[in-house]
């Protein structure tokens, strides 16, 4: 078993360490085949390189779609590989129509250079316009605990120099360095029952993920307290990424069994501290059996990280398909209702001032209204938001912040987990959802829209609540700059510069990917659901395996 474990470890090492990154920008499609009765199509594109998959957004009712989307693939082979590209027409309620396909042979492209490709579609009409760039990468490494990148003084100094303030404009995509020591786990769940005496055991291994970077430890056989003692290093592209560490039980005859998981935002990590993380369930809503010991170090350049915050997030190519869930639909509806109720309560408050329900309050509001309207300038809008951020920061620092942990969302998440377990059992017995595919698709769309609207409101709230201090400080800097600009520069000049930039953007950079800096910023702020999922659980001392050993020799 030990020999086989080492062989498996070598196999994982060969298969998971990539030699480079392939960056593909999907620009547009030209003269695609019409698949709908109206003489148009609703095209989207699927990319595949080995086990890695991406799907573009759907552009409705057009034969000349403009996507402007970027995707990054890991290149595992020195000689390259072949990217399969297929174009589809989205059809609600039935199977999507195939429009055409093409392939990109990476071995024919030179590295460290951007190639513009016009790929004619086989088995169809039209072509796709792509930008493809191949870059060498040393983004990830695996080593034993005896090899310490950060404890070697020379290597540590080189890493600190790479991310020092002086190197802020060098390689903007390389934001920071992450080192994860996966030391051991204790009291894991027993996934296998074998032998006459029903001996319970597991064959645990650990998966460490940062966005699309995914590395594995070796398997420790027949052990509920495994020791891995491995070090993983990653290059950080986005400081708002979340490190996910998942423990599985290896099964030879079927897919691995889930044992537990933790999700750790990079900005919450305390460098050089060995911590015991309580493992959570798949939904990250509650504890499961066992703890895992990790020691994590993060080094990053704050200026690069701030600039990267205003750019689009990296998409994950391993994403679970959304499915219809009654509990999830109710949860998203309640979350959106809570956001709307904040606006309604504000309207009632203003109305009560007009009705003089409380004369002192109404008098103060009336005097404030006269003062603001008489002296109003545009710079006062970001200034007011800046004061709100400062006030909430003062409440937190002074200990007067009385907000409770969001138990409503947590309770809903636990209910959803129970319903997921019931759904999994029911789906084996009956294919009811398959017969109602069209209705399900509409309901899933409504469910996702509710989630997006609720998340948008919660992210705005969490920015002002200092949920992620780095982002709140960044907002303070941005609002301060906007306030100064609006105070000193007439509005017509600002609008003029904005308009010239918008009109000439495509002329200056024809293949630039459209983005909205404000939405990109808000996408890094966690919603209430994510706050619950990333919340670190406290270890119960009474369940510590080491304590049990002392008490029960």
């Amino acid at each position: 078993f030990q020999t086989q474990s080492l062989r498996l470890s070598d196999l994982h090492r060969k298969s998971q360490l990539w030699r480079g990154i392939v960056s593909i920008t999907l620009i547009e499609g030209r003269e695609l085949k019409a698949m709908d009765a109206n003489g148009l199509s609703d095209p989207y594109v699927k990319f595949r390189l080995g086990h890695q998959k991406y799907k573009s957004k759907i552009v409705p009712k057009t034969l000349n779609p403009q996507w402007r989307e970027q995707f990054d693939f890991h290149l595992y082979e020195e000689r390259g590989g072949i990217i399969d590209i297929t174009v589809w027409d989205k059809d609600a309620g039935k199977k999507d129509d195939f429009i055409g396909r093409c392939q990109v042979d990476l071995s024919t492209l030179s590295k460290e250079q951007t190639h513009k490709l016009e790929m004619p579609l086989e088995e169809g009409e039209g072509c796709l316009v792509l930008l493809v760039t191949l870059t060498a990468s040393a983004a990830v490494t695996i080593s034993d605990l005896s090899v310490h990148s950060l404890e070697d003084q020379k290597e540590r100094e080189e890493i600190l120099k790479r991310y020092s303030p002086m190197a802020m404009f060098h390689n903007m995509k390389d934001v920071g360095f992450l080192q994860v020591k996966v030391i051991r786990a204790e009291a894991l769940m027993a996934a296998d029952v074998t032998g006459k005496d029903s001996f319970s055991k597991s064959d645990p291994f650990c998966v460490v993920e940062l966005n699309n970077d995914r590395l594995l430890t070796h398997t420790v056989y027949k052990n509920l307290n495994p020791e891995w003692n491995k070090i993983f290093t990653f290059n950080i592209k986005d400081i708002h990424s979340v490190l996910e560490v998942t423990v599985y039980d290896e099964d030879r005859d079927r897919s691995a069994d889930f044992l537990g998981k933790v999700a750790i935002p990079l900005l919450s990590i305390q460098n050089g501290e060995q911590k015991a993380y309580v493992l959570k369930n798949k939904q990250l809503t509650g504890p499961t059996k066992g703890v895992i010991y990790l020691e994590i170090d993060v080094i990053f350049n704050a200026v690069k990280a701030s600039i990267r915050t205003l750019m689009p997030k990296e998409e994950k190519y391993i994403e679970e398909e959304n499915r219809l869930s009654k509990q999830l639909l109710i949860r998203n509806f309640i979350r959106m209702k809570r956001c709307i109720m904040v606006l309604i309560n504000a309207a009632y408050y203003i109305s009560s001032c007009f009705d003089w329900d409380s004369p002192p309050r109404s008098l103060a509001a009336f005097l404030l209204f006269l003062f603001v309207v008489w002296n109003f300038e545009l710079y006062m809008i970001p200034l007011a938001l800046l004061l709100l951020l400062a006030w909430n920061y003062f409440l937190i620092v002074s200990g007067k912040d009385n907000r409770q942990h969001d138990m409503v969302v947590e309770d809903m998440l636990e209910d959803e987990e129970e319903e997921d377990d019931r759904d999994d059992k029911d789906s084996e017995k009956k294919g009811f959802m398959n017969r109602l595919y069209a209705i399900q698709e509409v309901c899933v769309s409504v469910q996702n829209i509710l989630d997006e609207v609720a998340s948008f409101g919660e992210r705005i709230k969490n920015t002002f609540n200092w949920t992620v201090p780095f982002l709140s400080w960044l907002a303070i800097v941005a609002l301060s700059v906007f306030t100064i600009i609006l105070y000193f520069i007439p509005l017509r000049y600002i609008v003029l510069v904005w308009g010239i930039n918008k009109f000439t953007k495509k002329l200056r950079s024809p293949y630039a990917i459209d983005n909205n800096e404000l939405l990109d910023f808000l996408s890094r702020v966690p919603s209430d659901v994510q706050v619950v999922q990333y919340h670190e659980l406290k270890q119960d001392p009474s369940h510590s395996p080491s304590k049990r050993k002392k008490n029960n020799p």
Side-chain angles (χ1 to χ4, degrees):
F1 279 139
Q2 206 165 9
T3 311
Q4 186 176 0
S5 172
L6 288 170
R7 259 192 257 115
L8 267 171
S9 177
D10 291 338
L11 194 68
H12 286 322
R13 205 166 295 199
K14 285 176 188 173
S15 66
Q16 65 188 301
L17 295 180
W18 47 92
R19 311 296 198 276
I21 292 173
V22 186
S23 179
I24 293 186
T25 304
L26 174 62
I27 302 298
E28 62 186 5
R30 294 176 184 167
E31 299 177 359
L32 300 182
K33 189 176 180 181
M35 305 302 293
D36 297 335
N38 58 7
L40 299 171
S41 292
D42 305 313
Y44 66 93
V45 180
K46 287 183 179 180
F47 298 88
R48 184 188 182 100
L49 176 62
H51 69 280
Q52 304 171 79
K53 300 176 187 175
Y54 278 113
K55 190 170 88 169
S56 76
K57 65 187 178 187
I58 299 163
V59 182
K61 297 183 176 59
T62 181
L63 300 180
N64 297 285
Q66 298 279 326
W67 282 289
R68 300 288 201 280
E69 290 184 86
Q70 183 178 324
F71 310 98
D72 288 338
F73 291 93
H74 296 140
L75 189 60
Y76 292 88
E77 302 173 25
E78 290 284 1
R79 61 184 179 275
I82 293 177
I83 298 179
D84 289 307
I85 304 171
T86 52
V87 186
W88 300 82
D89 168 55
K90 183 68 178 175
D91 280 329
K94 59 181 180 178
K95 192 176 178 183
D96 294 348
D97 297 322
F98 176 76
I99 294 178
R101 68 159 25 97
C102 59
Q103 290 185 330
V104 177
D105 187 352
L106 299 176
S107 63
T108 63
L109 304 178
S110 55
K111 293 185 177 178
E112 309 300 335
Q113 186 180 342
T114 299
H115 305 267
K116 182 186 175 186
L117 305 177
E118 294 186 14
M119 306 295 298
L121 295 179
E122 300 170 10
E123 305 173 41
E125 299 172 8
C127 68
L128 294 179
V129 180
L130 310 169
L131 297 181
V132 183
T133 309
L134 278 70
T135 53
S137 173
V140 295
T141 62
I142 306 177
S143 58
D144 292 318
L145 209 55
S146 56
V147 183
H148 300 273
S149 293
L150 290 177
E151 289 184 14
D152 183 326
Q153 192 60 34
K154 191 176 178 183
E155 276 196 54
R156 186 180 183 89
E157 284 176 5
E158 282 183 14
I159 291 168
L160 288 170
K161 186 179 177 182
R162 198 195 314 168
Y163 301 110
S164 68
M166 301 301 292
M168 68 176 73
F169 297 114
H170 176 68
N171 191 2
M172 296 301 293
K173 286 189 175 181
D174 185 12
V175 169
F177 174 85
L178 172 69
Q179 177 178 280
V180 184
K181 295 181 186 176
V182 181
I183 300 163
R184 68 184 189 277
E186 291 182 353
L188 293 178
M189 190 189 306
D192 305 325
V193 180
T194 57
K196 294 178 182 177
D197 300 325
S198 297
F199 175 67
S200 298
K201 65 177 184 65
S202 285
D203 304 320
F205 67 95
C206 198
V207 178
V208 183
E209 293 177 85
L210 184 70
N211 292 334
N212 290 318
D213 299 344
R214 190 172 191 265
L215 300 175
L216 296 81
T217 66
H218 60 281
T219 302
V220 179
Y221 289 95
K222 294 186 177 180
N223 202 324
L224 299 180
N225 301 290
E227 290 194 12
W228 292 291
N229 293 323
K230 292 291 177 189
I231 296 180
F232 301 91
T233 66
F234 301 87
N235 277 10
I236 300 170
K237 291 181 270 186
D238 189 347
I239 196 59
H240 309 290
S241 301
V242 177
L243 177 70
E244 294 183 0
V245 182
T246 312
V247 183
Y248 292 98
D249 169 63
E250 184 184 299
D251 275 321
R252 294 178 187 173
D253 303 328
R254 60 179 193 270
S255 60
D257 295 324
F258 175 86
L259 297 180
K261 180 178 184 178
V262 290
I264 309 162
L266 297 187
L267 284 170
S268 70
I269 289 168
Q270 295 173 335
N271 282 354
E273 181 183 342
Q274 186 181 133
K275 290 184 73 174
Y277 291 89
V278 177
L279 293 171
K280 295 183 176 183
N281 53 33
K282 281 184 183 179
Q283 288 75 26
L284 296 169
T285 55
T288 186
K289 203 166 184 291
V291 295
I292 186 165
Y293 288 83
L294 306 171
E295 186 179 323
I296 312 171
D297 287 273
V298 177
I299 296 171
F300 69 98
N301 184 296
V303 176
K304 285 186 185 179
S306 302
I307 294 170
R308 187 71 183 83
T309 303
L310 305 177
M311 298 178 184
K313 279 180 78 172
E314 180 183 2
E315 289 187 40
K316 286 193 78 171
Y317 60 74
I318 304 175
E319 287 281 12
E320 288 187 13
E321 285 287 326
N322 289 319
R323 63 174 183 174
L324 180 61
S325 163
K326 182 185 75 174
Q327 197 64 33
L328 185 60
L329 197 62
I330 293 168
R331 184 193 84 188
N332 290 342
F333 176 75
I334 292 171
R335 287 170 62 210
M336 193 177 79
K337 182 182 172 186
R338 288 167 68 202
C339 293
I340 292 171
M341 285 305 296
V342 171
L343 300 176
I344 292 172
N345 289 335
Y348 278 136
Y349 185 85
I350 293 168
S351 178
S352 70
C353 291
F354 291 153
D355 295 337
W356 291 82
D357 293 341
S358 169
R361 186 179 67 196
S362 295
L363 180 61
F366 180 57
L367 294 175
L368 181 65
F369 169 77
L370 293 175
F371 176 79
V372 170
V373 171
W374 185 256
N375 297 285
F376 179 76
E377 297 289 345
L378 203 59
Y379 72 86
M380 292 181 180
I381 296 174
L383 181 61
L385 297 175
L386 190 63
L387 291 173
L388 180 59
L389 270 166
W391 174 250
N392 282 338
Y393 180 72
F394 168 75
L395 290 178
I396 292 167
V397 169
S398 62
K400 295 178 181 178
D401 182 26
N402 297 320
R403 286 167 302 174
Q404 297 296 316
H405 182 61
D406 204 337
M407 297 302 294
V408 177
V409 174
E410 194 165 344
D411 291 342
M412 286 190 288
L413 282 167
E414 287 173 2
D415 292 342
E416 182 194 331
E417 181 202 339
E418 291 171 10
E419 198 212 16
D420 282 347
D421 292 339
R422 288 197 300 271
D423 286 349
D424 290 339
K425 293 172 185 174
D426 292 344
S427 61
E428 293 172 6
K429 299 175 183 177
K430 50 188 177 182
F432 179 69
M433 287 303 177
N434 293 333
R435 293 196 296 270
L436 295 176
Y437 178 82
I439 296 173
Q440 176 178 338
E441 193 165 284
V442 172
C443 291
V444 167
S445 298
V446 172
Q447 179 176 283
N448 292 342
I449 290 167
L450 290 173
D451 178 49
E452 286 177 18
V453 173
S455 295
F456 185 77
E458 290 165 358
R459 284 178 170 134
I460 293 171
K461 178 197 73 175
N462 290 337
T463 301
F464 287 95
N465 283 351
W466 292 80
T467 301
V468 182
F470 181 91
L471 290 170
S472 296
W473 280 116
L474 191 58
I476 278 186
V477 171
L479 289 170
S480 301
V481 171
F482 291 152
T483 303
I484 293 166
I485 288 172
L486 289 169
Y487 183 80
F488 286 106
I489 302 174
L491 181 61
R492 68 172 64 86
Y493 295 134
I494 297 170
V495 174
L496 196 63
V497 170
W498 175 83
I500 291 169
N501 175 60
K502 281 291 182 185
F503 276 106
T504 60
K505 191 174 183 180
K506 283 288 185 286
L507 299 175
R508 288 181 281 116
S509 183
Y511 302 119
I513 296 171
D514 292 328
N515 73 302
N516 183 301
E517 287 79 5
L518 179 59
L519 295 180
D520 289 334
F521 171 85
L522 287 174
S523 71
R524 271 41 175 232
V525 183
S527 65
D528 287 352
V529 171
Q530 289 171 320
V531 168
V532 172
Q533 289 175 336
Y534 303 156
H535 177 66
E536 187 181 331
L537 298 176
K538 301 297 179 188
Q539 187 179 1
D540 187 351
S542 63
H543 290 90
S544 172
S546 54
K547 260 199 168 179
R548 281 206 303 272
K549 286 175 188 171
K550 287 177 186 174
N551 296 339
N552 189 14

